[in-house]
Amino acid sequence: MVEVRNICCIGAGYVGGPTCSVIAQMCPEVTVTVVDVNEDRIRAWNSDSLPIFEPGLQEVVDSCRGVNLFFSTDIDEAIRNADLVFISVLSNPEFLAEGTAIADLKNPDRVLIGGDETPEGQHAIEALRSIYEHWVPKSKIITTNTWSSELSKLAANAFLAQRISSINSISALCEVTGADVEEVAHAIGTDQRIGSCFLKASVGFGGSCFQKDVLNLVYLCEVLNLPEVARYWQQVIEINDYQRKRFSSRIISCLFNTVTDKKIALLGFAFKKNTGDTRESSSIYISRYLLEEGACLHIYDPKVKAQQIMHDLIQPTPSERHDPATVSRLVTIVTDPYKACENAHAIVICTEWDMFTELDYEKIYKAMLKPAFIFDGRRILDSLHDQLQHIGFQVETIGKRVNQRIHFTAIEDKSEIDQQQPLKKIKL
């Protein structure tokens, strides 16, 4: 029996922090030290304001910190004292979903541990297995070689991303045929061979894992001379990009083919609800498309800090740089969703925060310019469409035609509008 008394985790980010906090709570006899070179991040972990938001995380940290859970910048000391070091010892890919990470850690579908097929590798596997067996049934702990473990992680996220791109591609077809993608998703999801998970049409997937892992898979296939496989998975990314551009084009075309100097309230900047993480968020891309057209964005998110939003919009991409002065002039960060909507031409919902379904839309409509538009990029207002139209809103959503009261443009073939990309007018 392998005995582990001290664990060192290198990296106090979205994975290391929550994972080792739960390990400390579930294994009170084990001392867990999370280290990072970022002093500000470690300082935040040792404060009452954690560096990341995750439901249930604060309670877990409060129950263990200073008892058997510690956060430090002294990496060398933590490694010297450790019986087991996360990251450098063996492959233990995480399958956490932000927003439900604590629940995922406490009740995982599986725990995957990969290691070398050597005595040392097998010893490391057993050491980590002994930790997880404190609360995870043995039947849910899977051990493999290192390659199988790492490819399982890439393949799992690639399959999930593929399902999102698949339903998003169908959403485009629904909009031009009159079908409702929610009805289509429900119909195909009742087939037990398909299932209903990850069939929610939206403005596209985000987060740190999906795009990164799909592109890693593409890269592996290319260097291993599997070009057909690489092109197959690359299409998952291209459909995701297309969905973002298509939604942005729809906003512009509905606002009479121009958003220059028009105020648009963008509600939600995190890549999904119940997290403050903005990495690869569709909100970033949609904001940039609208800013290139000269829109004045007023952005609200309940968990994302203003400096993070500005950093994401100014951050250069591989293809272009964004002028900080232009972004600062066109972007306003607000702390009140009602303030964001005052005198706005349109509301664009980019994150599915529950609070956005509970807003007083009559109050919001009265404060907006007319005609007032709502673009629901997350399909969270479906039950409110009739009410919103009765109030006076022009409602646009993903994968469904909502009855319109006015004609937005003189162009008869709306499908051509939906498919064209925004024209770049302003260099950011």
Side-chain angles (χ1 to χ4, degrees), residues 111-130:
V111 171
L112 182 58
I113 304 172
D116 293 339
E117 297 175 346
T118 62
E120 294 80 8
Q122 295 304 302
H123 181 78
I125 288 175
E126 290 304 314
L128 188 53
R129 188 211 295 264
S130 70

Side-chain angles (χ1 to χ4, degrees), residues 336-410:
D336 179 357
Y338 294 99
K339 188 69 175 178
C341 298
E342 282 183 10
N343 296 315
H345 290 80
I347 299 169
V348 178
I349 297 178
C350 288
T351 309
E352 70 278 22
W353 288 104
D354 293 339
M355 66 175 296
F356 296 154
T357 67
E358 302 166 355
L359 296 176
D360 185 344
Y361 282 102
E362 285 196 31
K363 174 182 176 181
I364 288 174
Y365 179 78
K366 291 177 182 178
M368 291 179 65
L369 300 181
K370 309 301 184 296
F373 296 83
I374 289 184
F375 297 90
D376 182 6
R378 292 291 181 175
R379 291 296 298 254
I380 62 172
L381 300 180
D382 280 14
S383 64
L384 301 178
H385 283 173
D386 289 343
Q387 176 186 340
L388 292 171
Q389 287 188 310
H390 180 74
I391 291 172
F393 282 105
Q394 306 299 319
V395 181
E396 293 282 336
T397 193
I398 295 283
K400 179 184 179 181
R401 288 181 184 172
V402 181
N403 293 331
Q404 304 295 344
R405 299 186 179 184
I406 63 173
H407 294 288
F408 301 129
T409 70

Side-chain angles (χ1 to χ4, degrees), residues 73-141:
T73 57
D74 194 343
I75 299 175
D76 293 340
E77 179 68 15
I79 292 175
R80 277 194 299 270
N81 293 334
D83 301 313
L84 189 152
V85 180
F86 271 89
I87 295 178
S88 62
V89 173
L90 69 172
S91 172
N92 178 217
E94 48 80 24
F95 297 93
L96 308 179
E98 289 187 46
T100 59
I102 300 303
D104 294 342
L105 285 163
K106 291 186 175 181
N107 186 28
D109 291 332
R110 79 291 204 193
V111 171
L112 182 58
I113 304 172
D116 293 339
E117 297 175 346
T118 62
E120 294 80 8
Q122 295 304 302
H123 181 78
I125 288 175
E126 290 304 314
L128 188 53
R129 188 211 295 264
S130 70
I131 293 297
Y132 283 113
E133 284 181 351
H134 279 73
W135 77 96
V136 180
K138 291 182 179 181
S139 60
K140 289 188 174 183
I141 301 177

Side-chain angles (χ1 to χ4, degrees), residues 258-264 293-296 329-330 345 426:
T258 180
V259 292
T260 303
D261 294 329
K262 291 182 178 178
K263 178 179 177 179
I264 296 177
E293 289 287 318
C296 298
R329 177 173 59 85
L330 294 176
H345 290 80
I426 291 182

